[in-house]
Structure formats: C-alpha cells, structure tokens
Amino acid sequence: MDIKFGFADTARELVISVDGQQDELSQQINSALADNSALELVDEKGRKYIIRTDRVVYVEIGATKPHAVGFMGA
C-alpha cells in the first residue's frame, strides 16, 4: 500500500510503498505525530525512511484492497 506524506512549505510529496496492515501503520504514524518523534518506515524494496514529523502537514494511507489485474471474459 502507498503512504503519501505532505510537508509544510513545499509542494512535493513523499510516497512510500510499504507492506503491512492499514490499521497497524495508521497507529504507528499517529503515535509518531502525537509525540513529534521521528517515524521509521521500510518500503517494499527494503529501503529505510526516517521522517521528521514536525514538518508533516498530512498523511494519506492507501487501502489494503489489492488491485484487480487482467481482463475478464464474458
């Protein structure tokens, strides 16, 4: 699922594709935002992101529903 971060004073967004459940990630992000602490996430390729939460304006957490791929015949 994709997690999109918006930061103050910039039009650019940070989008990270991570594995995990939406509820768990939401709780982890809310905790870091409430404590104004650094948030550490690992993406699907194993890259580690450390995000300072003091400049985060919004977070969009994608749905856990997988996308349908392919064609359906009748």
Side-chain angles (χ1 to χ4, degrees), residues 11-70:
R12 294 192 66 160
E13 299 171 327
L14 173 64
V15 179
I16 303 173
S17 296
V18 297
D19 291 325
Q21 296 297 318
Q22 189 177 31
D23 293 337
E24 295 170 4
L25 290 168
S26 178
Q27 187 176 44
Q28 181 182 1
I29 293 167
N30 277 329
S31 177
L33 290 171
D35 297 340
N36 199 20
S37 61
L39 174 64
E40 188 172 311
L41 295 172
V42 178
D43 72 0
E44 293 173 341
K45 296 181 180 181
R47 294 177 291 207
K48 186 179 286 189
Y49 293 84
I50 300 172
I51 302 155
R52 287 181 39 193
T53 59
D54 61 338
R55 305 294 293 167
V56 173
V57 178
Y58 67 89
V59 179
E60 179 182 311
I61 302 172
T64 57
K65 180 180 164 186
H67 298 285
V69 177

